[in-house]
Amino acid sequence: MIEHVNQLCGQPPHIGPPPTDSTPIVWAWSTSSETLGGHPVNTAAAILDTNERTRAERMIKPADRHRYLASHLGLRIILGAYTNLPPQHIRLTREDCPTCGGPHGRPSTPDSPLHFNLSHSGDLAYLALATRPTGIDVELTPTPQTVTDILHTLHPTETDELTSLPEDQRPQALARVWTRKEAILKATGHGLAEGLTHPYVGSHPTPAAIPGYTLTDLPAPDHYTAALATANPAE
Protein backbone atom coordinates (compact mmCIF):
# COMPACT_ATOMS: atom_id res chain seq x y z
CA MET A 1 0.00 0.00 0.00
CA ILE A 2 1.20 3.51 -0.79
CA GLU A 3 1.33 5.51 2.42
CA HIS A 4 2.98 8.65 1.02
CA VAL A 5 1.85 10.83 -1.87
CA ASN A 6 4.47 13.20 -3.33
CA GLN A 7 3.38 16.83 -3.55
CA LEU A 8 4.04 19.06 -6.56
CA CYS A 9 4.09 22.75 -5.62
CA GLY A 10 5.32 26.00 -7.15
CA GLN A 11 8.97 24.98 -7.25
CA PRO A 12 10.56 22.40 -9.59
CA PRO A 13 9.92 18.92 -8.15
CA HIS A 14 12.54 16.93 -6.32
CA ILE A 15 12.56 13.58 -8.10
CA GLY A 16 13.68 10.53 -6.18
CA PRO A 17 14.20 7.01 -7.50
CA PRO A 18 11.84 5.88 -10.29
CA PRO A 19 9.01 3.44 -9.59
CA THR A 20 9.88 -0.23 -9.21
CA ASP A 21 7.95 -3.42 -9.89
CA SER A 22 6.77 -3.42 -6.28
CA THR A 23 6.34 0.31 -5.67
CA PRO A 24 4.42 2.66 -7.97
CA ILE A 25 4.86 6.40 -7.34
CA VAL A 26 1.97 8.82 -6.82
CA TRP A 27 2.07 12.61 -7.13
CA ALA A 28 -0.63 15.12 -6.20
CA TRP A 29 -1.06 18.85 -6.67
CA SER A 30 -3.62 21.63 -6.43
CA THR A 31 -5.15 22.55 -9.77
CA SER A 32 -6.08 25.97 -8.40
CA SER A 33 -2.37 26.87 -8.06
CA GLU A 34 -1.08 29.81 -10.09
CA THR A 35 2.41 28.30 -10.47
CA LEU A 36 3.50 24.64 -10.70
CA GLY A 37 7.05 23.37 -10.85
CA GLY A 38 8.37 26.82 -11.68
CA HIS A 39 5.89 27.37 -14.55
CA PRO A 40 2.99 29.87 -14.38
CA VAL A 41 -0.25 28.05 -15.14
CA ASN A 42 -1.49 30.96 -17.27
CA THR A 43 1.35 30.25 -19.73
CA ALA A 44 0.76 26.48 -19.78
CA ALA A 45 -0.79 26.53 -23.26
CA ALA A 46 2.66 27.16 -24.73
CA ILE A 47 3.86 23.88 -23.15
CA LEU A 48 0.89 21.68 -24.05
CA ASP A 49 0.37 19.98 -27.42
CA THR A 50 -2.31 20.78 -29.97
CA ASN A 51 -4.84 18.28 -28.64
CA GLU A 52 -4.47 19.57 -25.08
CA ARG A 53 -4.78 23.20 -26.15
CA THR A 54 -7.86 22.44 -28.24
CA ARG A 55 -9.56 20.71 -25.33
CA ALA A 56 -8.72 23.58 -22.98
CA GLU A 57 -10.05 26.16 -25.42
CA ARG A 58 -13.40 24.36 -25.60
CA MET A 59 -13.98 24.84 -21.88
CA ILE A 60 -16.42 27.68 -21.28
CA LYS A 61 -15.74 28.33 -17.60
CA PRO A 62 -12.36 29.95 -16.85
CA ALA A 63 -12.03 27.94 -13.61
CA ASP A 64 -12.50 24.66 -15.47
CA ARG A 65 -9.94 25.73 -18.07
CA HIS A 66 -7.44 26.66 -15.35
CA ARG A 67 -7.86 23.30 -13.61
CA TYR A 68 -7.36 21.44 -16.88
CA LEU A 69 -4.25 23.46 -17.75
CA ALA A 70 -2.84 22.91 -14.26
CA SER A 71 -3.54 19.17 -14.45
CA HIS A 72 -1.74 18.71 -17.74
CA LEU A 73 1.06 21.12 -16.89
CA GLY A 74 1.74 19.07 -13.76
CA LEU A 75 1.66 15.86 -15.78
CA ARG A 76 4.25 17.20 -18.21
CA ILE A 77 6.48 18.64 -15.49
CA ILE A 78 6.65 15.32 -13.65
CA LEU A 79 7.07 13.17 -16.77
CA GLY A 80 9.74 15.60 -17.94
CA ALA A 81 11.59 15.30 -14.64
CA TYR A 82 11.64 11.49 -14.86
CA THR A 83 12.70 11.49 -18.53
CA ASN A 84 15.13 14.44 -18.41
CA LEU A 85 13.13 16.24 -21.08
CA PRO A 86 11.60 19.74 -21.09
CA PRO A 87 7.84 19.49 -20.35
CA GLN A 88 6.93 20.79 -23.81
CA HIS A 89 8.91 17.99 -25.48
CA ILE A 90 6.95 15.16 -23.88
CA ARG A 91 4.92 13.31 -26.53
CA LEU A 92 1.58 12.06 -25.26
CA THR A 93 -0.14 9.23 -27.11
CA ARG A 94 -2.86 6.64 -26.52
CA GLU A 95 -2.76 2.87 -26.75
CA ASP A 96 -5.46 1.06 -28.72
CA CYS A 97 -8.70 0.57 -26.82
CA PRO A 98 -9.10 -3.12 -25.85
CA THR A 99 -12.86 -2.85 -26.41
CA CYS A 100 -13.07 -1.32 -29.90
CA GLY A 101 -9.47 -0.99 -31.08
CA GLY A 102 -9.70 2.80 -31.40
CA PRO A 103 -6.82 5.09 -30.35
CA HIS A 104 -8.29 6.02 -26.97
CA GLY A 105 -6.94 3.38 -24.60
CA ARG A 106 -4.41 3.89 -21.82
CA PRO A 107 -2.26 7.06 -22.07
CA SER A 108 1.38 6.50 -22.96
CA THR A 109 4.49 8.28 -24.14
CA PRO A 110 7.21 7.00 -26.49
CA ASP A 111 9.69 9.03 -24.42
CA SER A 112 9.65 6.61 -21.47
CA PRO A 113 8.88 2.96 -20.70
CA LEU A 114 6.97 4.07 -17.60
CA HIS A 115 3.22 3.64 -17.44
CA PHE A 116 1.27 6.60 -16.10
CA ASN A 117 -2.26 7.74 -15.41
CA LEU A 118 -3.75 11.12 -14.47
CA SER A 119 -6.96 12.00 -12.65
CA HIS A 120 -8.34 15.33 -11.44
CA SER A 121 -11.45 16.36 -9.55
CA GLY A 122 -12.36 19.61 -7.86
CA ASP A 123 -9.08 21.38 -7.09
CA LEU A 124 -6.90 18.28 -6.91
CA ALA A 125 -4.93 16.18 -9.41
CA TYR A 126 -3.31 12.77 -8.85
CA LEU A 127 -0.73 11.12 -11.11
CA ALA A 128 0.44 7.50 -10.92
CA LEU A 129 3.74 6.26 -12.36
CA ALA A 130 4.50 2.54 -12.54
CA THR A 131 6.49 -0.09 -14.40
CA ARG A 132 3.26 -1.86 -15.41
CA PRO A 133 -0.20 -0.70 -16.58
CA THR A 134 -1.76 1.51 -13.92
CA GLY A 135 -4.90 3.50 -13.29
CA ILE A 136 -5.66 6.18 -10.71
CA ASP A 137 -8.77 8.09 -9.73
CA VAL A 138 -9.51 10.91 -7.31
CA GLU A 139 -13.01 12.21 -6.66
CA LEU A 140 -14.81 14.71 -4.49
CA THR A 141 -17.25 13.05 -2.09
CA PRO A 142 -20.52 12.72 -4.06
CA THR A 143 -23.80 14.31 -3.04
CA PRO A 144 -26.74 12.24 -1.77
CA GLN A 145 -28.45 12.88 -5.10
CA THR A 146 -25.48 11.39 -6.96
CA VAL A 147 -25.74 8.30 -4.75
CA THR A 148 -29.40 7.95 -5.76
CA ASP A 149 -28.59 8.41 -9.45
CA ILE A 150 -25.71 5.90 -9.56
CA LEU A 151 -26.74 3.34 -6.94
CA HIS A 152 -28.44 0.89 -9.29
CA THR A 153 -25.78 1.08 -12.02
CA LEU A 154 -23.23 -0.66 -9.78
CA HIS A 155 -22.57 -4.35 -9.25
CA PRO A 156 -25.64 -5.80 -7.48
CA THR A 157 -23.58 -6.66 -4.40
CA GLU A 158 -22.25 -3.09 -4.22
CA THR A 159 -25.79 -1.76 -4.52
CA ASP A 160 -26.85 -4.01 -1.64
CA GLU A 161 -23.89 -2.87 0.45
CA LEU A 162 -24.70 0.80 -0.02
CA THR A 163 -28.44 0.47 0.57
CA SER A 164 -27.74 -1.37 3.83
CA LEU A 165 -25.86 1.65 5.18
CA PRO A 166 -27.38 4.68 6.93
CA GLU A 167 -27.98 7.40 4.35
CA ASP A 168 -25.29 9.69 5.76
CA GLN A 169 -22.63 6.99 5.19
CA ARG A 170 -23.55 6.24 1.60
CA PRO A 171 -21.70 9.13 -0.12
CA GLN A 172 -18.33 8.08 1.31
CA ALA A 173 -19.02 4.43 0.53
CA LEU A 174 -19.93 5.33 -3.04
CA ALA A 175 -16.73 7.37 -3.32
CA ARG A 176 -14.73 4.25 -2.42
CA VAL A 177 -16.60 2.19 -5.02
CA TRP A 178 -16.32 4.81 -7.75
CA THR A 179 -12.60 5.57 -7.34
CA ARG A 180 -11.67 1.89 -7.09
CA LYS A 181 -13.75 0.97 -10.10
CA GLU A 182 -12.48 3.80 -12.27
CA ALA A 183 -8.87 3.10 -11.25
CA ILE A 184 -9.12 -0.56 -12.29
CA LEU A 185 -10.97 0.23 -15.54
CA LYS A 186 -8.32 2.81 -16.43
CA ALA A 187 -5.58 0.29 -15.66
CA THR A 188 -7.14 -2.29 -17.99
CA GLY A 189 -7.71 0.39 -20.65
CA HIS A 190 -11.46 -0.25 -20.91
CA GLY A 191 -12.55 2.95 -19.17
CA LEU A 192 -16.22 3.49 -18.41
CA ALA A 193 -17.47 2.55 -21.88
CA GLU A 194 -18.97 -0.71 -20.62
CA GLY A 195 -20.57 0.80 -17.53
CA LEU A 196 -20.01 0.48 -13.80
CA THR A 197 -21.35 -3.00 -13.09
CA HIS A 198 -18.07 -4.91 -13.37
CA PRO A 199 -15.73 -5.62 -11.81
CA TYR A 200 -16.90 -5.89 -8.23
CA VAL A 201 -14.59 -3.71 -6.09
CA GLY A 202 -16.64 -3.44 -2.89
CA SER A 203 -17.59 -0.52 -0.68
CA HIS A 204 -15.98 -1.78 2.52
CA PRO A 205 -12.80 -0.15 3.91
CA THR A 206 -10.66 -2.81 2.19
CA PRO A 207 -11.03 -3.19 -1.60
CA ALA A 208 -12.08 -6.52 -3.09
CA ALA A 209 -9.38 -8.64 -4.71
CA ILE A 210 -9.11 -8.17 -8.48
CA PRO A 211 -7.39 -11.02 -10.38
CA GLY A 212 -4.19 -9.80 -12.02
CA TYR A 213 -4.18 -6.39 -10.33
CA THR A 214 -3.33 -4.75 -7.02
CA LEU A 215 -6.06 -2.32 -5.97
CA THR A 216 -5.46 0.06 -3.06
CA ASP A 217 -7.03 3.13 -1.54
CA LEU A 218 -4.77 6.19 -1.37
CA PRO A 219 -4.34 8.91 1.23
CA ALA A 220 -6.46 11.92 0.26
CA PRO A 221 -7.48 15.27 1.82
CA ASP A 222 -10.83 15.76 3.52
CA HIS A 223 -13.79 15.52 1.11
CA TYR A 224 -11.71 13.58 -1.45
CA THR A 225 -11.24 9.85 -2.06
CA ALA A 226 -8.58 8.25 -4.25
CA ALA A 227 -7.59 4.78 -5.42
CA LEU A 228 -4.80 3.16 -7.42
CA ALA A 229 -4.77 -0.02 -9.52
CA THR A 230 -1.62 -1.58 -10.94
CA ALA A 231 -1.18 -4.75 -12.99
CA ASN A 232 0.66 -7.54 -11.20
CA PRO A 233 3.87 -9.00 -12.66
CA ALA A 234 3.28 -11.80 -15.13
CA GLU A 235 3.61 -15.19 -13.44
Side-chain angles (χ1 to χ4, degrees):
M1 177 178 291
I2 292 178
E3 297 180 356
H4 174 70
V5 174
N6 298 283
Q7 300 294 319
L8 176 64
C9 58
Q11 301 302 315
H14 173 71
I15 300 296
T20 66
D21 280 351
S22 60
T23 309
I25 292 175
V26 175
W27 285 83
W29 61 94
S30 170
T31 56
S32 62
S33 299
E34 297 298 329
T35 302
L36 284 171
H39 298 269
V41 175
N42 63 8
T43 65
I47 293 175
L48 307 188
D49 64 24
T50 301
N51 290 334
E52 292 168 307
R53 288 196 297 270
T54 298
R55 186 168 179 180
E57 289 165 359
R58 289 174 178 168
M59 295 181 178
I60 297 174
K61 296 181 179 179
D64 291 342
R65 188 179 309 116
H66 184 95
R67 293 186 186 103
Y68 178 85
L69 292 172
S71 298
H72 283 251
L73 174 62
L75 166 67
R76 287 178 167 275
I77 288 170
I78 294 169
L79 286 179
Y82 280 99
T83 57
N84 294 314
L85 288 172
Q88 62 270 29
H89 290 174
I90 297 292
R91 295 170 293 169
L92 299 178
T93 57
R94 288 275 183 177
E95 298 178 1
D96 291 340
C97 171
T99 301
C100 68
H104 46 257
R106 287 186 294 253
S108 61
T109 175
D111 300 313
S112 172
L114 290 178
H115 295 265
F116 66 91
N117 199 246
L118 173 70
S119 176
H120 55 93
S121 178
D123 291 323
L124 194 62
Y126 270 47
L127 173 67
L129 300 164
T131 59
R132 299 182 303 279
T134 188
I136 197 166
D137 191 49
V138 60
E139 299 289 343
L140 280 165
T141 303
T143 65
Q145 183 59 52
T146 300
V147 176
T148 300
D149 293 342
I150 293 177
L151 189 62
H152 295 288
T153 67
L154 305 174
H155 188 282
T157 303
E158 292 163 348
T159 300
D160 290 343
E161 291 171 1
L162 266 66
T163 54
S164 70
L165 293 173
E167 289 191 10
D168 63 344
Q169 295 180 24
R170 294 177 187 176
Q172 184 58 51
L174 175 60
R176 288 194 292 267
V177 172
W178 183 278
T179 54
R180 294 167 182 174
K181 194 156 302 205
E182 187 154 356
I184 192 70
L185 291 173
K186 291 169 78 175
T188 65
H190 289 86
L192 299 177
E194 298 180 351
L196 292 168
T197 304
H198 298 289
Y200 168 75
V201 296
S203 65
H204 300 302
T206 300
I210 305 293
Y213 290 84
T214 298
L215 178 60
T216 60
D217 295 335
L218 296 173
D222 290 345
H223 311 300
Y224 287 89
T225 303
L228 172 72
T230 305
N232 295 333
E235 296 183 356

